[in-house]
Amino acid sequence: MPIVSRNPYDGTELARFATHTPQQVDGALTAAAAAQRRWRRVPIEERVEILRRSARVLRAGKVGFAELITHEMGKPIVESEAEIEKCAVTCEYYAEHAPRFLADEPVASNASESAVVFDPLGVVLAIMPWNYPFWQFFRFAAPALAAGNGAILKHANNVPQCALAIEEVIRKAGAPEGLVRALLVEATAVASLIADNRIAAVTLTGSTQVGSIVASQAGQVLKKQVLELGGSDPFIVLADADVETAATVGVKARFINVGQSCVNAKRFIVEEAIADRFVAAFVDGAQRLKIGDPMARDTQIGPMARANLRDELHGQVERTLAAGAVLKLGGRPVEGPGFTYKPTVIDHVGTEMVAFCEETFGPVAAITRVKDAQQAVAVANQTEFGLGAALWSGDLERARRLARSIDAGAVFINGMVASDARLPFGGIKKSGYGRELGVYGIKEFTNIKTLWIGPAKA
């Protein structure tokens, strides 16, 4: 079966590609392994030059890359341009800081010159999703390449042109031939890739269900994994918060990327005392969002990436309303071609309802009312996920204390959850394990090796 690229705004076919043959896959793995063995011996100060040049290539081609993202997965063009810039900034960040992050760490000892050193693991298989097709790769690849690893990219099959464009960016930046390769293969080929001796480790961004499968496959062959999986992030608004600002930021936190992000705010948990004010302000902001052609610069809500994703989301909305929740806005697909869904707000969502219990991966906000801050935290933790969380309060000392009780890889106080090259990113519970970005992320795909040196003579 060919891999087909389709425009989610109008459903038209953009391109189709034959999958790589087993012989082509084998050749790519052999070339990547050979290139990585040479790459690891290149001084890190030289390796990071690839990242600086990648940043320049990304910026020089920003218009074309952004249009490619928008055409293949549907996000508004302004957001696609921001995604490319974020990739460039992250490349530059690691170009500047990787030598310090990976420097040998001396350990005081009376009997030896002990140290901790950081060696690359090898070629990493990167199984990447469609929602941020460039960013998801570069947030892994910038630190991994700086550390001396190579990469095989298995991208989501609805963004094949993005996958090939990413490979070309790295090539134009001057990386050794074969060090980074994009493979156009079906999901059924992943197990054999993981098991291949030329693959040293695996990173996946995707659903919890797929993460469980990949973790099992990698575990069977004892290979390191970093998993960034689903999320149902709480957005907690306490009674002493700046309600209007929280609502304004909340609209962006929920509907950016058409609501298709693991760290979108999904469950809005609001103290009863200010719930009516928050809901009114939130609905007002959501209904002002411009729906339309994602190539138009004023569009804020474009199509969802695929028809099945839109249909699944609509089913979650219908089941939540049938259970007694109150529809405040939207609640249905946009008529016509393509896969657009109206920005939707559902109030009085109980903790047993679908929109609370399941991840809603699209433009749907679920609002749950609670009596006080303690109940807000308890309700926020009432989920199998643990990726990000936002907490809004005018009392920063109390907010700091409450944040330590929230089960999440990141808690943002009076702000929206977002990834940042300087800060570690990842989750707990069924949102995965391991970290990307920051100093912790660059060490995930290294052998943290103890080096013990005794005296040369007795």
Side-chain angles (χ1 to χ4, degrees):
M1 292 286 292
I3 290 174
V4 178
S5 171
R6 194 174 296 280
N7 187 327
Y9 180 61
D10 58 18
T12 59
E13 182 177 312
L14 299 171
R16 61 176 52 210
F17 303 87
T19 56
H20 284 130
T21 66
Q23 294 76 18
Q24 289 172 315
V25 171
D26 182 70
L29 292 173
T30 296
Q36 190 275 328
R37 286 192 295 270
R38 296 188 296 271
W39 182 242
R40 66 176 293 152
R41 294 193 294 270
V42 174
I44 190 170
E45 292 76 14
E46 297 179 28
R47 291 201 298 260
V48 297
E49 286 303 312
I50 295 297
L51 303 183
R52 290 192 176 92
R53 292 197 291 268
S54 292
R56 291 196 290 269
V57 173
L58 285 164
R59 289 196 176 104
K62 179 187 292 188
V63 172
F65 295 141
E67 289 179 353
L68 188 57
I69 292 172
T70 294
H71 286 316
E72 281 208 305
M73 62 74 57
K75 78 172 65 183
I77 187 65
V78 173
E79 294 182 16
S80 296
E81 292 170 350
E83 178 175 340
I84 298 300
E85 178 61 23
K86 189 171 186 176
C87 294
V89 168
T90 298
C91 287
E92 291 173 334
Y93 175 80
Y94 279 106
E96 179 180 354
H97 295 286
R100 176 171 60 86
F101 289 163
L102 296 176
D104 295 353
E105 296 179 359
V107 178
S109 173
N110 293 330
S112 70
E113 298 179 14
S114 300
V116 178
V117 300
F118 304 94
D119 294 338
L121 292 184
V123 178
V124 182
L125 174 63
I127 306 168
M128 294 289 107
W130 47 263
N131 57 339
Y132 287 90
F134 274 67
W135 167 241
Q136 302 281 15
F137 175 78
F138 277 97
R139 81 178 186 192
F140 143 74
L145 293 175
N149 296 293
I152 291 290
L153 170 60
K154 161 59 182 92
H155 221 320
N157 280 355
N158 58 323
V159 289
Q161 295 183 92
C162 287
L164 296 174
I166 288 168
E167 182 184 294
E168 185 63 19
V169 168
I170 302 297
R171 182 179 294 114
K172 285 184 176 179
E177 186 65 30
L179 185 67
V180 175
R181 285 294 308 274
L183 293 181
L184 302 183
V185 295
E186 296 292 348
T188 52
V190 168
S192 62
L193 288 172
I194 292 173
D196 195 287
N197 288 334
R198 291 163 291 188
I199 294 294
V202 183
T203 183
L204 165 77
T205 298
S207 69
T208 298
Q209 293 75 18
V210 173
S212 179
I213 296 169
V214 167
S216 176
Q217 293 169 342
Q220 288 177 1
V221 288
L222 298 177
K223 292 182 180 178
K224 172 70 182 286
Q225 317 128 48
V226 170
L227 303 179
E228 196 268 279
L229 307 177
S232 187
D233 285 11
F235 189 100
I236 301 169
V237 186
L238 301 183
D240 61 356
D242 180 337
V243 175
E244 282 67 34
T245 300
T248 297
V249 175
V251 168
K252 182 177 181 181
R254 183 63 196 104
F255 296 107
I256 192 171
N257 208 44
V258 198
Q260 299 170 121
S261 172
C262 296
V263 291
N264 276 124
K266 298 184 177 75
R267 296 176 299 137
F268 291 81
I269 300 168
V270 187
E271 273 200 77
E272 186 66 50
I274 48 89
D276 287 344
R277 280 175 59 203
F278 177 83
V279 171
F282 189 90
V283 170
D284 180 64
Q287 67 187 1
R288 293 174 186 271
L289 295 171
K290 175 69 182 300
I291 306 170
D293 183 347
M295 285 299 296
R297 300 196 68 80
D298 61 345
T299 292
Q300 296 165 291
I301 298 291
M304 295 182 66
R306 298 195 307 264
N308 67 311
L309 298 171
R310 177 202 58 193
D311 296 344
E312 180 181 343
L313 183 73
H314 186 53
Q316 291 173 307
V317 169
E318 289 187 315
R319 284 180 285 150
T320 301
L321 295 176
V326 177
L327 181 66
K328 306 295 288 189
L329 184 70
R332 58 187 174 85
V334 173
E335 295 181 2
F339 318 133
T340 305
Y341 199 84
K342 287 182 174 293
T344 296
V345 182
I346 308 174
D347 195 6
H348 298 284
V349 175
T351 58
E352 76 289 350
M353 295 181 185
V354 169
F356 183 94
C357 298
E358 297 180 5
E359 179 179 25
T360 50
F361 212 70
V364 172
I367 299 173
T368 299
R369 299 173 180 229
V370 293
K371 63 181 181 180
D372 56 27
Q374 286 66 40
Q375 187 183 17
V377 172
V379 168
N381 290 339
Q382 193 175 326
T383 176
E384 63 183 4
F385 299 107
L387 194 52
L391 174 62
W392 287 76
S393 172
D395 185 341
L396 294 183
E397 286 305 311
R398 182 176 69 150
R400 286 175 182 270
R401 292 194 302 272
L402 292 172
R404 299 297 293 267
S405 300
I406 297 173
D407 298 336
V411 179
F412 282 53
I413 297 173
N414 294 339
M416 63 176 275
V417 178
S419 55
D420 183 317
R422 298 166 295 183
L423 299 172
F425 182 85
I428 59 173
K429 299 196 287 190
K430 289 190 177 181
S431 289
Y433 44 76
R435 291 295 180 265
E436 296 180 302
L437 302 176
V439 64
Y440 299 97
I442 198 171
K443 294 178 179 177
E444 285 283 5
F445 293 114
T446 64
N447 171 17
I448 303 174
K449 180 189 290 183
T450 295
L451 188 60
W452 189 97
I453 305 173
K457 295 182 180 180

